[in-house]
Amino acid sequence: LTEAMISICQHQDWLKCAVNCINFGQYMSQAMWIKDSELLQLPHFTQTEVKHCEKGKGATTAKTIKQYLEIPDENKKGLADMSAEQKADVIKCCSLIPDIGVETKVFTDDDEDAGVYEGDLVSVQVTITRKHLQEGKKAGLVHSPFFPFPKNEAWWVIMGTKEGKIISVEKVIDPSRVVEHKIKFLAPRQGNYEFDLWVKSNAYVGLDQKQTVKLTSLDPSTLPEFVVHPDDAELDDEPTLFEEMLNANVEEDSDSDDDDSDDDDDNNKKGDGIRELSAAERKKEQLLLARKKAAAAAGDEDSDDDSDVEEVYTDDKKKL
């Protein structure tokens, strides 16, 4: 639900609202109200332990979770009335809560000129280092005992203008000790700019970092004129692969059309030799057919066997 709200903010270009939605997700993960102390994220901590930690003005006093993590374990307040097992839980949780460092770098992919000119594709590289992890180790699940299911550690990287416009909102889920994330956008008009950059936890309260990214956009008219090499200019006259495939298909279609037209011509020629007979021609054909049948019948009578005639005659003679 929280990520859906952030997506809507990104679509509507609501920078402040997106940041507030991420904050809401942090408090929801820790089952805290926005007025609650950050120290209530620690196991077995109540308002009593929080007051004990905030009391005094020494180096062991802590009002935020970052301050409490910086205090050596043996000097941490709020553990006096806890059992040994409870103290171990607090110390273990402090080792799991991330301690990050954030570095930014602005550059373009042009190797010849390090300057940023209007219209260039600018990259802002954000490097997140989990200082609490050893080399080769990776981040695991967050400490959120009241959340209904396990949750992996992740960080939201948000960049926007001073006017409240969103440039980028992305969730970085890489659990590595050192994570590099790039934000790409087109350089604005000539001038000096400052952008706000947030790196916010997806589950912990009080660990967010905010930095200012400075950018100087130069006038592109000061760049040397780009001259096209003659060989490259000739390539513009050559057909592209798509055009070659399109021309091949057109030729095949024209050949098939020619074949179809030839077949149609042949059929027309064959059709010209077959025509319907007139009434006079049909009558003549019927007369010729009748004559042939009559001639055939006469031929059958003449061709009767003589022996048969003789036998019939002989029989008739005997009867007489």
Side-chain angles (χ1 to χ4, degrees), residues 101-133:
V102 179
E103 297 179 356
T104 59
K105 177 183 177 183
V106 181
F107 63 94
T108 61
D109 294 333
D110 190 353
D111 297 332
E112 298 180 358
D113 193 342
V116 177
Y117 296 86
E118 177 183 345
D120 283 351
L121 181 62
V122 183
S123 297
V124 178
Q125 179 174 297
V126 182
T127 303
I128 302 174
T129 303
R130 293 180 169 96
K131 296 184 293 184
H132 65 293
L133 293 180

Side-chain angles (χ1 to χ4, degrees), residues 75-205:
N75 296 331
K76 292 183 184 299
K77 290 185 176 181
L79 308 179
D81 297 333
M82 293 186 183
S83 64
E85 184 178 353
Q86 291 176 332
K87 293 179 182 179
D89 290 341
V90 174
I91 300 302
K92 178 64 176 179
C93 179
C94 291
S95 65
L96 294 177
I97 296 177
D99 177 19
I100 65 168
V102 179
E103 297 179 356
T104 59
K105 177 183 177 183
V106 181
F107 63 94
T108 61
D109 294 333
D110 190 353
D111 297 332
E112 298 180 358
D113 193 342
V116 177
Y117 296 86
E118 177 183 345
D120 283 351
L121 181 62
V122 183
S123 297
V124 178
Q125 179 174 297
V126 182
T127 303
I128 302 174
T129 303
R130 293 180 169 96
K131 296 184 293 184
H132 65 293
L133 293 180
Q134 298 178 356
E135 292 289 343
K137 297 294 184 178
K138 293 187 177 181
L141 300 176
V142 301
H143 173 73
S144 53
F146 299 104
F147 203 67
F149 52 85
K151 190 171 187 177
N152 290 315
E153 180 187 321
W155 294 88
W156 288 95
V157 179
I158 310 102
M159 184 173 175
T161 65
K162 294 294 184 179
E163 294 74 24
K165 300 296 183 181
I166 293 177
I167 296 177
S168 176
V169 177
E170 294 188 61
K171 186 178 181 181
V172 180
I173 61 175
D174 189 347
S176 303
R177 182 179 183 272
V178 179
V179 181
E180 292 183 354
H181 176 71
K182 291 183 180 180
I183 303 172
K184 294 182 179 292
F185 61 97
L186 294 179
R189 297 178 181 178
Q190 179 183 0
N192 297 321
Y193 296 88
E194 291 186 354
F195 304 102
D196 291 328
L197 176 74
W198 288 268
V199 178
K200 301 180 71 64
S201 173
N202 70 323
Y204 292 107
V205 178

Side-chain angles (χ1 to χ4, degrees), residues 256-271:
S256 62
D257 292 340
D258 293 340
D259 294 340
D260 294 340
S261 61
D262 293 340
D263 295 340
D264 293 340
D265 293 341
D266 294 338
N267 293 333
N268 291 334
K269 290 179 180 179
K270 293 178 181 180

Side-chain angles (χ1 to χ4, degrees), residues 1 5 10 15 28 41 57 131 137 148 158 169 180 235 245 283 309 318:
L1 178 61
M5 295 165 60
Q10 186 175 8
L15 177 60
M28 185 173 61
Q41 298 175 94
K57 296 183 179 180
K131 296 184 293 184
K137 297 294 184 178
I158 310 102
V169 177
E180 292 183 354
L235 292 176
M245 296 176 62
K283 186 174 182 180
V309 174
K318 288 180 180 179

